[in-house]
Amino acid sequence: MTFTRSEKRALEILCRHPNRLLTRDQILDALTGSGSDKGDRNIDFLINRLRRKLSDNARDPRYIATRYGEGYVWIGPPPGVVADLADAFLVVGPLRGLDNLSDCHSLAHRFAADLRASLSADLPPAQRVALAPDCPPATDFADQRPSLSVELSFFEECGVVNCVAAARDFPTGRILAILRVSLPTDIPAGTNPAAADAAKQLLNNTWRTLATETDSGLPLPVLIHLAATEPDHSHGAATDSDRRLDKLNTQLENRSMAAWQENETRLRGLMEVEPGDAGLKILYATHIHSKYISFGHRLFRAGIDTRAEDEDRIEALVLAALPHVQSEPEYAIMAAKLLHFLDRGYFDLAHTLSEEALASSVAPAGSLVIAGQLRAFAGETEAALRCFDQALNLVAHGSKAHLYALTLKIQALRAVADFDRLNLTKRELYGISTAAMLFFEPMFADPDNLSIRARAVVRMLSYEKAAALLRMNHYTSARLFRDAEHRANSILTPLTLVIRRFGKARLPEEIASAYPELLDRMP
């Protein structure tokens, strides 16, 4: 198929701006330069010629859609290079400065190929790494695009070829990690240790940047999980069945476990390189804690109980790091959360650390939710709710930060049995994630007026899973409230459901011994 010069240029302009309206004047200016005396009707004739060559029907377009009175939109597939890269997780490219290398172009290309291979070996198979020496900018992509890129810039100095590798957030171009490498000239392709070392450094530093950034509105526990860059999941719809929602929750748990394992590998590697880094100690302690939040019920159900060992490790890491991170609010507030979680007599210290960190934090949304949670545990419910509501006003609706703040607000309201505000908050949460209903209703429904959904969910559970969920609720939430009535309120709904289904005699000993007065009041 052949095109005239004008047709080819118009086709290129449209393809490079997929799903974006281009006015006739914009297309005309791109073809002939601004201020052309040609009329925009010439563009209509040109588009009609293109449609004939592409066998595109204006009434049922596959490639070029008309926006009457406005212009045209390319709705076809993206150009070849963009299409090949759209589903990649990471792109090595573009390669810049090749003209700086007199006769070493092949060395630069070989290093880029070796770096791609090393990055691919260090990432999960599902996260595809592509090599794109002429990688187009993010604006050339439509809805789907890579998450990360590694841009390579080459130059020669004193006979040595140097490369500056910059890992970027692909959609925004923000630099996440950067390093300089001197390229050896005598190593065969595929065996370049400089490429392997660069890949590890770039991934580790990128992960750390993503796991500790302060401008996202998210606290460290969530950032650490997201730094594994797992793809987002479906939150379900109101029309989905309970079994469909349960399947979505299972998929999320599987991804959480995979992300946790990836973070475990990354953190262990970083700590081997920098064993004295106080920030890493807090990150690793937070990571240990996060497995109980994300999939603790799976561990309990499988008979895996390493809580004593994990708590010892968390305590040692936090106490070793604390003298060095007290002046860094984002780390200090996580140290406070972890010390409170241990329940080993650090309550006053944790409360002081949290309040001091909140007073000086430059990441208010993330700090407010953690400080709010600790205030709720201390029985300062209204102060906690003010924290959550302020955080909710700072984050984007429907974001992970929004979901996180709503979750902690629900936890605080359940502790004081404020079901009017609790139901409003649950409704807001379920409007974002219907799948969350399957987990939250058995935990936070009114035990005196159980919802149909709460009863239905428990009927779906085996005894082993129900008992594991009860233990998880106790360990990660209920036991941490200082007030006995708040502790009882926090466990009452799942406890009621499990007893109604399986009987008191089958309660786990850990639960029965923790709430004897509550059990005495129950039939």
Side-chain angles (χ1 to χ4, degrees), residues 473-489:
N473 181 281
H474 163 70
Y475 185 61
T476 62
S477 176
R479 73 181 178 95
L480 300 176
F481 284 92
R482 300 277 287 175
D483 184 273
E485 184 178 353
H486 293 175
R487 287 197 299 273
N489 286 339

Side-chain angles (χ1 to χ4, degrees), residues 186-447:
D186 56 350
I187 297 178
T191 61
N192 191 339
D197 183 61
K200 284 184 169 53
Q201 287 191 57
L202 287 168
L203 288 177
N204 282 341
N205 292 340
T206 294
W207 181 91
R208 187 165 183 179
T209 299
L210 292 172
T212 57
E213 60 185 348
T214 60
D215 58 353
S216 65
L218 286 164
L220 282 178
V222 183
L223 286 170
I224 290 175
H225 175 73
L226 295 182
T229 55
E230 283 296 306
D232 204 355
H233 70 289
S234 170
H235 292 288
T239 55
D240 287 335
S241 67
D242 284 352
R243 294 199 178 278
R244 163 69 175 158
L245 296 175
D246 186 52
K247 183 177 180 181
L248 292 176
N249 277 330
T250 300
Q251 290 172 351
L252 174 60
E253 288 171 7
N254 290 339
R255 288 176 178 175
S256 293
M257 292 179 73
W260 193 89
Q261 290 293 343
E262 184 179 339
N263 289 340
E264 172 77 6
T265 301
R266 187 80 61 212
L267 275 164
R268 282 186 178 274
L270 285 169
M271 291 191 70
E272 287 176 5
V273 176
E274 303 175 75
D277 189 306
L280 279 178
K281 287 181 169 68
I282 296 296
L283 286 177
Y284 194 55
T286 301
H287 165 72
I288 296 170
H289 167 263
S290 71
K291 73 179 179 183
Y292 294 103
I293 304 297
S294 298
F295 48 89
H297 65 92
R298 283 198 172 191
L299 299 175
F300 294 144
R301 187 180 179 187
I304 300 171
D305 190 352
T306 58
R307 283 179 286 178
E309 175 186 333
D310 287 338
E311 289 173 9
D312 288 346
R313 185 69 170 139
I314 289 171
E315 184 176 33
L317 288 165
V318 172
L319 294 182
L322 197 53
H324 308 284
V325 300
Q326 289 188 69
S327 60
E328 299 180 56
E330 283 66 50
Y331 288 105
I333 204 163
M334 274 314 304
K337 178 183 173 77
L338 293 167
L339 289 173
H340 182 83
F341 171 77
L342 292 173
D343 195 22
R344 293 184 174 184
Y346 295 110
F347 174 78
D348 291 335
L349 174 59
H351 190 271
T352 301
L353 278 173
S354 172
E355 295 299 318
E356 289 178 350
L358 179 61
S360 58
S361 175
V362 294
S367 297
L368 281 165
V369 291
I370 298 298
Q373 186 181 36
L374 292 184
R375 287 177 178 180
F377 286 147
E380 303 166 11
T381 305
E382 292 305 320
L385 293 174
R386 284 196 297 274
C387 285
F388 298 138
D389 288 337
Q390 289 186 83
L392 288 166
N393 289 332
L394 293 171
V395 299
H397 180 84
S399 65
K400 289 182 174 65
H402 189 194
L403 289 169
Y404 190 79
L406 286 174
T407 298
L408 298 190
K409 183 177 178 180
I410 287 171
Q411 182 187 70
L413 289 168
R414 180 63 191 90
V416 294
D418 186 342
F419 290 105
D420 290 337
R421 284 190 287 181
L422 175 61
N423 289 332
L424 288 174
T425 309
K426 284 196 301 180
R427 194 175 306 149
E428 185 178 354
L429 177 69
Y430 298 163
I432 301 168
S433 174
T434 305
M437 190 184 305
L438 228 65
F439 184 82
F440 277 60
E441 276 302 286
M443 299 294 174
F444 301 117
D446 184 345

Side-chain angles (χ1 to χ4, degrees), residues 168-175:
R168 296 178 182 268
D169 175 78
F170 188 81
T172 65
R174 181 168 63 100
I175 292 179

